[in-house]
Amino acid sequence: MSQLTLKQQNIIPISAFTAGGDLQRLSFTINKGLDAGLTINEIKEIQIQLYAYAGFPRAINAVSTLMTIVKERQSQNIHDEIGKDASPISNTTDMLALGTKVQTQLAGKVVEGHLFDFAPTLNQYLRAHLFGDIFARDILSYQDREIATIAALSVINGADSQLKAHYQIGLNAGLTQSQLLEIVQLITATVDQNTGNHAKIILEQ
């Protein structure tokens, strides 16, 4: 029995093909995700978040692919749910403070060390923008964001240490070990067997 919801299962290939830049397979998985009940805004939010991991070019291409698919489906009289927008955030919110709180919660400790002593601006951007501006958008849950991140990192060469860290962050966000294993199994089944096998090795570590 699946430990992930149908929506969460469909987040995985959408995220992987967004990060990997495989637009043909992304198109197929977007259609499948919409059929499974993901809203347009949920898919869009996945792709927006992943610019922080895969870069703006691939995120922009992915959103453009989504836009094209939505128009094609509308022409076929398929009207997908747009979904909710992110709740407004006060202009007075200290995003660095909020992001630091979220980062600490998800990492299970204050994130610091020699790397961030060497490049403190990097951690400031992580806190204020990624864990602040992006994670504050309540279109996706923290768990869903971690599912997307794990799937994306699995296809990015040289990101093993980040993937390993996000397995732990996923647990801190409330995902179970069984759900992490299912994510890996779905990467193997829907993305690529070698990618899934490698992701499993990192998970076992």
Side-chain angles (χ1 to χ4, degrees), residues 8-155:
Q8 288 174 329
Q9 293 173 42
N10 280 274
I11 287 173
I12 293 165
I14 289 172
S15 302
F17 296 133
T18 292
D22 189 336
L23 300 184
Q24 183 174 355
R25 296 178 75 187
L26 176 62
S27 295
F28 173 79
T29 55
I30 287 174
N31 273 293
K32 190 175 178 184
L34 289 168
D35 290 339
L38 281 169
T39 69
I40 294 169
N41 281 349
E42 285 171 336
I43 297 176
K44 195 188 304 179
E45 190 70 17
I46 292 165
Q47 297 168 331
I48 290 170
Q49 176 185 315
L50 291 184
Y51 99 80
Y53 297 93
F56 268 120
R58 292 201 167 168
I60 290 170
N61 288 344
V63 172
S64 177
T65 300
L66 172 61
M67 181 174 65
T68 298
I69 288 171
V70 169
K71 289 180 179 178
E72 289 175 349
R73 289 168 68 93
Q74 288 174 343
S75 72
Q76 298 165 11
N77 206 31
I78 301 171
H79 299 285
D80 301 292
E81 183 182 350
I82 295 174
K84 70 174 185 178
D85 288 318
S87 300
I89 300 171
S90 170
N91 291 332
T92 62
T93 299
D94 184 337
M95 298 311 294
L96 178 58
L98 175 62
T100 301
K101 179 182 178 181
V102 172
Q103 183 195 49
T104 302
Q105 172 190 339
L106 291 176
K109 61 183 178 180
V110 176
V111 176
E112 54 191 359
H114 295 306
L115 174 65
F116 294 129
D117 291 339
F118 181 70
T121 305
L122 187 61
N123 204 21
Q124 179 181 343
Y125 287 170
L126 280 172
R127 288 171 172 174
H129 184 50
L130 177 58
F131 290 106
D133 293 323
I134 295 177
F135 268 68
R137 293 171 56 81
D138 56 358
I139 295 174
L140 297 173
S141 68
Y142 289 174
Q143 290 184 17
D144 290 344
R145 290 187 183 279
E146 284 308 308
I147 291 170
T149 302
I150 289 167
L153 289 172
S154 73
V155 303

